[in-house]
Amino acid sequence: MTATNLAAHWMPFTANKGFKEKPRMLSAAKGMYWTTDDQRQVLDMTAGLWCCNAGHAHPHIADAIAHQAKTLDYAPSFGFGHALSFELSERLANLAPGNLNKVFYTNSGSESVETALKMALAYHYAKGNTGKQMFIGREKGYHGVNFGGISVGGLTNNHKAFGQWLPTDRLSHTQDLTLNAFSRGLPLHGGIEKANELEKLIQRHDASRIAAVIIEPITGAGGVLPPPVGYLKRIREICDQHDILLIFDEVITGFGRTGNVFASQTFDVIPDIMTTAKGLTNGAAPMGAVLAGDHIYDVIVEQGGPGVEFFHGYTYSAHPLACAAAMATLDVYEQENLYQRGAAEGEIAQYFERGLHSLKGLPGVIDIRNYSFIAAVEFEPLVGKPGATGSLIQTSAWEQGMMLRSLGDAIAMSPPLIMEKEHVDQTIGILERSIKQHFA
Ligand code: PLP
């Protein structure tokens, strides 16, 4: 199907006027490739928007959704249940680390973030610590687009037109190119010093006012910034010392991207609350899930008064089609060994890393960083066009048949975990030509 009229559609996070002059349209997808409206094959090096970890249009997931649509299309989640959602929760709780045993469903990463922030407030409120209403986020952090998420997020463009809604302060971001340029895996330097900034923020605001710290284990949309060695553990320690909850936003790192189900397992740091979405259904149905520690649930629910304990939820929480998609997705991840395939020391991840770092030395390339199946290449800003290089490289790659994510002066990649060596070779070839096109 080809769109004939583009006028009525207001596109998210898109330069609408530019798009409508030169639309880029996708009409089908299978495995590692999209088909465009003009019948070109485009290699997907982004897993959609970091979500199609098992590749596109997987038949097991498609069949599960179709079957569910004919069996139980909808069930209200307020006061009623359906078996599949309870089964899915049990499965997720078993996959999650530590005591993250309670699952609350949403429809997106943004809603998962709002839910997690509200859980943190409700937890402290229930304990009588009503002053704990502030959050600590991080520069370059991305936590979706709802009011809580933009408040705690650290990407200026995302909140400058809308204001600051929740009381928030921010850690600085963890990337330091003087210490850690061209890092492979976790950057080696500066982790503890960066994490200790949290102590300074606590001194400034007082622990009695801070509800939670929310960070992505690997900053994604802010430019792919893996945490320097020791950083996450030190953040956890400081939170524990001050009765501050730690929320990991695993919306992109969840479901195999770092070689375990969750990055929390890869980095051996367990948060109090974890947000997920995207890979949960392989992108085939909108769904998010918040995994809360037993201690959070106990305080809010078990020790809560009679009646509704947590006034929060969505019409489509635990939607049957999304639950079916998630159950089938988890089957695929397990049956096709995709968690193991995402491991940083795995054969394909290593091949990808070597390929990417072979681009070091090309003109304009000032950093290459990666952790397993998530990577970024950063460029010198082009004269007169700061922040535009990523988009130029993305356009060149698109024209040559590859999808990249543009992030300011960087491009990001988060390929499906089914990627093979031939896809890596194709990627490196297209990247090299695109870079030379702009920096020769
Ligand atoms: N949190 C993180 C870390 C994300 O990367 C994203 C989206 O990219 C979100 C939250 C928001 O998810 P959604 O777009 O599904 O609302």
Side-chain angles (χ1 to χ4, degrees):
M1 193 176 77
T2 308
T4 49
N5 191 344
L6 306 177
H9 187 27
W10 185 346
M11 298 177 71
F13 277 124
T14 298
N16 274 257
K17 296 189 287 291
F19 181 90
K20 287 170 188 180
E21 277 162 23
K22 206 172 173 198
R24 301 189 284 195
M25 307 287 275
L26 303 166
S27 55
K30 188 75 198 157
M32 288 291 297
Y33 289 90
W34 271 301
T35 307
T36 62
D37 260 21
D38 52 356
Q39 299 306 308
R40 290 188 311 122
Q41 292 292 295
V42 171
L43 175 65
D44 179 9
M45 284 302 287
T46 57
L49 280 172
W50 336 77
C51 44
C52 308
N53 293 354
H56 292 275
H58 198 292
H60 183 58
I61 303 169
D63 290 348
I65 297 172
H67 172 77
Q68 188 61 42
K70 293 180 202 157
T71 315
L72 176 68
D73 60 338
Y74 179 78
S77 60
F78 305 175
F80 298 87
H82 66 97
L84 199 57
S85 64
F86 288 86
E87 235 179 279
L88 178 60
S89 299
E90 188 179 30
R91 199 163 169 187
L92 289 170
N94 287 336
L95 288 171
N99 76 346
L100 295 168
N101 290 322
K102 298 291 186 276
V103 183
F104 193 104
Y105 293 107
T106 70
N107 308 291
S108 66
S110 298
E111 287 182 0
S112 290
V113 167
E114 303 304 296
T115 302
L117 298 175
K118 285 173 78 175
M119 278 178 181
L121 293 177
Y123 168 83
H124 290 300
Y125 183 88
K127 285 181 43 175
N129 296 326
T130 50
K132 278 183 168 285
Q133 296 206 342
M134 179 177 176
F135 292 96
I136 303 292
R138 190 166 58 185
E139 285 171 14
K140 298 203 177 205
Y142 181 61
H143 302 291
V145 291
N146 292 343
F147 284 114
I150 59 169
S151 295
V152 296
L155 292 175
T156 342
N157 278 340
N158 290 352
H159 53 101
K160 72 178 178 206
F162 314 108
Q164 178 70 44
W165 290 84
L166 298 179
T168 303
D169 206 342
R170 289 179 190 82
L171 297 157
S172 68
H173 64 80
T174 53
Q175 175 195 19
D176 183 340
L177 290 190
T178 54
L179 286 177
N180 288 319
F182 297 97
S183 54
R184 298 173 182 226
L186 300 189
L188 296 179
H189 307 290
I192 304 300
E193 294 81 346
K194 282 277 175 191
N196 282 341
E197 284 177 12
L198 180 56
E199 288 190 317
K200 295 199 188 99
L201 295 184
I202 293 170
Q203 273 166 22
R204 185 182 307 158
H205 299 287
D206 202 79
S208 64
R209 294 185 54 217
I210 303 172
V213 170
I214 176 165
I215 48 176
E216 299 155 86
I218 297 178
T219 302
V224 178
L225 314 176
V229 171
Y231 179 84
L232 294 174
K233 275 198 188 323
R234 182 69 190 127
I235 292 278
R236 174 75 272 183
E237 271 170 22
I238 301 172
C239 286
D240 285 344
Q241 283 159 12
H242 297 277
D243 188 25
I244 293 172
L245 296 177
L246 179 60
I247 303 171
F248 273 178
D249 185 344
E250 291 236 25
V251 165
I252 62 168
T253 49
F255 303 104
R257 193 136 297 278
T258 66
N260 283 289
V261 185
F262 299 108
S264 155
Q265 290 152 326
T266 304
F267 302 137
D268 195 21
V269 176
I270 302 174
D272 300 285
I273 305 175
M274 181 196 285
T275 61
T276 72
K278 298 195 188 257
L280 171 57
T281 58
N282 201 42
M287 182 178 230
V290 179
L291 284 87
D294 288 325
H295 55 300
I296 306 290
Y297 184 87
D298 285 349
V299 165
I300 299 174
V301 178
E302 296 294 347
Q303 296 162 36
V308 175
E309 303 98 356
F310 186 47
F311 277 88
H312 182 74
Y314 303 96
T315 298
Y316 298 123
S317 286
H319 192 284
L321 267 60
C323 289
M327 288 294 275
T329 297
L330 297 179
D331 293 343
V332 172
Y333 291 159
E334 283 160 25
Q335 285 158 9
E336 298 184 10
N337 291 325
L338 295 186
Y339 300 129
Q340 291 86 330
R341 230 170 174 272
E345 60 283 4
E347 198 188 338
I348 297 290
Q350 286 285 311
Y351 191 77
F352 182 42
E353 181 173 289
R354 281 197 300 277
L356 279 173
H357 285 267
S358 73
L359 300 171
K360 185 176 174 184
L362 284 185
V365 173
I366 59 170
D367 190 27
I368 299 168
R369 46 189 181 266
N370 70 291
Y371 190 91
S372 187
F373 274 61
I374 177 166
V377 181
E378 185 153 340
F379 306 99
E380 269 165 27
L382 285 168
V383 180
K385 294 183 192 163
T389 322
S391 161
L392 292 170
I393 302 285
Q394 183 200 42
T395 301
S396 300
W398 164 258
E399 285 165 356
Q400 295 173 71
M402 179 167 75
M403 180 76 87
L404 299 171
R405 182 85 193 274
S406 94
L407 302 171
D409 285 315
I411 50 102
M413 284 161 278
S414 53
L417 306 173
I418 58 169
M419 177 172 71
E420 297 287 356
K421 288 182 180 172
E422 74 208 55
H423 304 119
V424 177
D425 295 342
Q426 191 182 349
T427 301
I428 302 307
I430 294 180
L431 262 178
E432 191 171 340
R433 284 194 293 280
S434 306
I435 294 168
K436 286 182 175 161
Q437 196 177 332
H438 293 286
F439 286 99

